[in-house]
Amino acid sequence: MCRFLAYSGEPVFLSDLVCAPTHSLVHQSLHAAEAKTETNGDGFGIGWYGERPEPGIYRDVSPAWSDENLVNLCRQVRARTFFAHVRAATGTATSRANCHPFVHGRHMFMHNGQIGGYHRIKRRLEALIPDALYDGRRGTTDSEAIFLLALANGLIEDPIGAMAGTLAAIRDLMRAAGIAEPLRFTALLTDGERLTAYRWACDGRPPSLYYRQSETGLVVVSEPIDGCREGWRVVPTGGTLQARGGEVTLAEGPEALRQRIAA
């Protein structure tokens, strides 16, 4: 499983959160505490919003702990909203195109989890993605496929409903293929202004997700970056967090989704 971090608030240097803390994301790339694997060395990515509507992206296949360019870039870039992700591959190639975050227009998406038995439904899942969106597919991951299908299902207008419908459709494919492995989905979506975090799973065991809000901004993480739980709140299993303009709301996942993906 991967590890990630998102920030939204007053502009800060990326290094303040990605590199500097005791249990920073760079540290987690080598010593994750709450993941299935301690090491997340199959590439990394950062995405940030600056002066343009679309985010800037830097992704590479080297481990985050050994990339001097990542550290230098984070020391120089200040942003009001940014994503950072370190990858532990779950069956797809280690390539730049498979590193998160993924971008469509001004929207960014990153994922921690997996579609159980993905290789058995990959072709049928990709067939659900319209050509106009599939033309933008650059990698082979289940994460990118989820993002593109959710966009086709209205993700920009309805981040919760569209994602619920997308995961329900994927769960239907898994059930038809006789896949017993779980669908686990902890993910983040933003357009630079609005942020949505999801923590869903068909077996009730989604990857970890925490958040901390202060007067200056909101941080959402796979693991607390300061090495302690104090001040951090858990996004509950089956929950969704939405944030915009300093206002943060938590809600349960749609009942219809819980019923369909748990079946």
Side-chain angles (χ1 to χ4, degrees):
M1 296 295 179
C2 309
R3 304 281 85 181
F4 59 45
L5 174 150
Y7 172 79
S8 180
E10 295 182 8
V12 299
F13 286 107
L14 273 61
S15 59
D16 292 350
L17 298 175
V18 176
C19 307
T22 303
H23 193 52
S24 69
L25 197 66
V26 171
H27 183 266
Q28 290 176 39
S29 69
L30 192 57
H31 298 294
E34 299 187 37
K36 291 175 62 177
T37 57
E38 182 181 11
T39 303
N40 297 269
D42 297 319
F44 67 85
I46 54 174
W48 68 95
Y49 292 84
E51 299 300 318
R52 300 179 186 276
E54 301 81 10
I57 297 290
Y58 174 54
R59 303 183 295 183
D60 209 345
V61 298
S62 61
W65 69 77
S66 66
D67 193 291
E68 294 182 0
N69 291 326
L70 171 65
V71 175
N72 289 331
L73 184 63
C74 287
R75 289 181 61 191
Q76 296 297 327
V77 174
R78 187 199 300 264
R80 54 187 170 79
T81 302
F82 59 85
F83 279 3
H85 186 282
V86 292
R87 183 172 183 249
T90 56
T92 51
T94 299
S95 67
R96 186 175 288 111
N98 283 343
C99 292
H100 308 223
F102 302 103
V103 173
H104 177 78
R106 61 178 299 162
H107 285 78
M108 275 199 305
F109 173 81
M110 58 184 179
H111 173 223
N112 176 21
Q114 66 185 105
I115 298 173
Y118 172 58
H119 66 285
R120 294 170 56 186
I121 64 167
K122 180 176 183 288
R123 183 170 62 85
R124 279 170 283 179
L125 172 55
E126 290 185 329
L128 298 178
I129 302 171
D131 289 345
L133 288 168
Y134 192 82
D135 285 347
R137 182 151 163 80
R138 297 292 178 262
T140 58
T141 64
D142 54 351
S143 303
E144 187 184 21
I146 291 171
F147 181 39
L148 293 174
L149 182 55
L151 286 167
N153 289 337
L155 185 68
I156 293 175
E157 296 79 16
D158 183 6
I160 296 179
M163 194 60 75
T166 298
L167 296 189
I170 292 170
R171 185 63 178 147
D172 288 343
L173 292 177
M174 294 171 65
R175 186 164 46 251
I179 295 171
E181 299 168 65
L183 167 61
R184 292 177 178 157
F185 182 78
T186 296
L188 282 155
L189 171 75
T190 189
D191 61 359
E193 301 293 338
R194 178 175 58 174
L195 183 147
T196 304
Y198 314 85
R199 189 172 181 238
W200 301 340
C202 70
D203 63 350
R205 299 175 58 190
S208 56
L209 190 64
Y210 299 83
Y211 71 100
R212 182 171 66 190
Q213 187 179 20
S214 67
E215 294 181 357
T216 57
L218 171 72
V219 184
V220 184
V221 295
S222 296
E223 300 180 17
I225 55 177
D226 52 9
C228 66
R229 298 285 187 90
E230 185 176 353
W232 295 93
R233 299 180 63 184
V234 175
V235 176
T237 298
T240 305
L241 178 151
Q242 290 189 297
R244 184 170 189 171
E247 182 178 345
V248 176
T249 58
L250 273 175
E252 290 295 317
E255 180 64 27
L257 170 75
R258 293 200 296 275
Q259 292 176 353
R260 292 189 68 180
I261 70 170

